[in-house]
Amino acid sequence: MSDASGPGGGTPEAGADAGAAVSATGAAAGAAGAAGSAEASAAAGATSGRRVRVVLVDDHRMFRTGVQAEIGETERTGVEVVGEAADVDQAVSVITATRPEVVLLDVHLPGGGGVEVLRRCAPLMSDAEQPVRFLALSVSDAAEDVIGVIRGGARGYVTKTITGTDLVDSVFRVQDGDAVFSPRLAGFVLDAFASTDAPPVDEDLDRLTQREREVLRLIARGYAYKEIAKQLFISVKTVESHVSAVLRKLQLSNRHELTRWATARRLV
């Protein structure tokens, strides 16, 4: 793998809740008018001469290659991909070295996940003259994933079902300081910041790794193993291994029990 590597960033103090709440509110308020303008906005970015420097952070090379091909034609889209990374340490090094305007950040990464990248890059996000802004781009649409990265300082969260045109539009909007969410995800954030109660800890769910949670949700939604493998860019054998681990940890016998378990916890 040819991803760059280097020293990590500093360790910031927590405290992005207020800004995240404002971001979520703005995103919810503007969501209705945004859908029809994505293509025009992306085209405007390129034809007006606007440019945005982007770093891609995702642990799947094939996915990074696909995103690069979809949005990285700078003359057409206005997006210049200046770096890539596959894990937390690489991400911090590349982001620190290149200082992009926007980082497309996967939630689940080796080394601590997207939240750890945000934690270590907090000084870059708070730079008054050249802030680095983060847009989460993930296969997961789970509330805890969305809320986690927004609390960490990300400006928005879109799922990997997004089109290339909409992704370009989202990148430019985040560069401008807007908050961007896929449909319905803004509601998770608004609910989280409106509540004064901490979410209850689910000890059973906490036994699962992030990848096992992804597989669990897709199984519960009725996906076949081959479909899950394609969605997560892993092999069918790896999917089977994750399912076996989930069943063992939760002391369940089959995928039907697993589906009932996930539905009861509103994970589907």
Side-chain angles (χ1 to χ4, degrees), residues 87-139:
D87 60 35
V88 170
D89 287 340
Q90 290 177 2
V92 174
S93 296
V94 172
I95 294 165
T96 302
T98 60
R99 297 297 292 265
E101 282 91 23
V102 177
V103 177
L104 290 176
L105 179 68
D106 193 12
V107 174
H108 303 142
L109 295 166
V115 171
E116 178 65 11
V117 175
L118 291 164
R119 186 184 70 81
R120 291 169 58 179
C121 289
L124 301 180
M125 289 188 280
S126 60
D127 188 317
E129 294 185 0
Q130 190 181 352
V132 176
R133 296 188 169 106
F134 287 78
L135 174 62
L137 176 61
S138 175
V139 69

Side-chain angles (χ1 to χ4, degrees), residues 235-247:
S235 69
V236 173
K237 187 173 182 179
T238 300
V239 174
E240 293 173 347
S241 297
H242 285 313
V243 172
S244 297
V246 171
L247 292 174

Side-chain angles (χ1 to χ4, degrees), residues 43-67:
T47 57
S48 67
R50 286 191 63 188
R51 292 289 185 268
V52 56
R53 299 170 69 254
V54 171
V55 165
L56 305 178
V57 181
D58 193 286
D59 59 336
H60 296 105
R61 178 186 289 273
M62 287 180 60
F63 181 76
R64 298 198 311 272
T65 300
V67 173

Side-chain angles (χ1 to χ4, degrees), residues 17 48 51 138 166 172 175 192 202-203 214:
D17 285 17
S48 67
R51 292 289 185 268
S138 175
D166 286 342
F172 275 107
Q175 181 193 28
D202 189 324
E203 293 182 0
E214 287 181 330

Side-chain angles (χ1 to χ4, degrees), residues 76-92:
R76 177 176 63 86
T77 65
V79 176
E80 179 187 3
V81 177
V82 297
E84 299 182 11
D87 60 35
V88 170
D89 287 340
Q90 290 177 2
V92 174

